[in-house]
Amino acid sequence: MPDWLEHSVQVEVEAPIDLVWSLWSDLEQMPQWMKWISSVKILEDNPELSRWKLNTGGLEFTWLSRILKMVPQQIIQWESVDGLPNRGAIRFYDRHNSSIVKLSVSYAIPGILGRIMDNLFLGRAVESTIKADLERFRDYALQAKAAQK
């Protein structure tokens, strides 16, 4: 049985919710701010499915993800249907002049990694990476906001 780890991280973005939503919901752009994600491809024949590729420390993982729930400007919830087991949600909160973006992700540690790495160490590394990803997203959104002016 794999171990499941879960993380929730949030960031405030000084940009309107419609802009923040439009940037994040364009899944194929995620490698621009998510450090470990090297590619995301929406399946042409089924836009609820996307193929993800993650690279870190010389290891590569892929998975097919399904959108379970999408409410514009509120939530995108997903789960993997093959490959690296993961699930989670990205939530958006409108603060009128700014937006809160909260990412919750759970993932299964593959057996080999669980034996090689200390899960506590891995969890801290993943959480700090996700936090940095959200901070990069905030910067990305601020650049997009400035370009609109």
Side-chain angles (χ1 to χ4, degrees), residues 71-114:
V71 178
Q73 299 182 8
Q74 291 181 27
I75 189 171
I76 302 170
Q77 185 177 6
W78 77 90
E79 72 177 358
S80 63
V81 293
D82 84 350
L84 184 68
N86 69 87
R87 59 183 173 253
I90 182 82
R91 290 176 175 81
F92 303 85
Y93 302 94
D94 187 356
R95 295 292 183 253
H96 303 296
N97 294 326
S98 67
S99 306
I100 302 291
V101 178
K102 182 178 182 181
L103 176 61
S104 299
V105 62
S106 300
Y107 53 93
I109 307 277
I112 188 156
L113 275 183

Side-chain angles (χ1 to χ4, degrees), residues 108-125:
I109 307 277
I112 188 156
L113 275 183
R115 288 190 292 272
I116 295 172
M117 302 179 92
D118 171 358
N119 288 352
L120 183 61
F121 169 78
L122 179 63
R124 285 186 188 136

Side-chain angles (χ1 to χ4, degrees), residues 2-59:
D3 291 331
W4 280 82
L5 296 179
E6 182 173 344
H7 306 284
S8 288
V9 178
Q10 72 180 36
V11 68
E12 185 166 3
V13 180
E14 299 291 329
I17 193 81
D18 57 337
L19 174 64
V20 169
W21 170 264
S22 70
L23 294 173
W24 193 284
S25 61
D26 185 357
L27 300 179
E28 292 186 347
Q29 298 304 309
M30 284 200 180
Q32 293 192 49
W33 65 83
M34 297 199 86
K35 179 180 174 182
W36 292 357
I37 303 297
S38 58
S39 69
V40 179
K41 297 290 179 210
I42 305 294
L43 274 58
E44 289 183 28
D45 59 338
N46 188 346
E48 289 184 357
L49 295 175
S50 52
R51 172 70 57 197
W52 293 67
K53 188 181 292 184
L54 178 149
N55 280 307
T56 182
L59 299 173

Side-chain angles (χ1 to χ4, degrees), residues 121-134:
F121 169 78
L122 179 63
R124 285 186 188 136
V126 170
E127 192 158 308
S128 67
T129 297
I130 292 170
K131 179 79 171 151
D133 288 343
L134 285 184

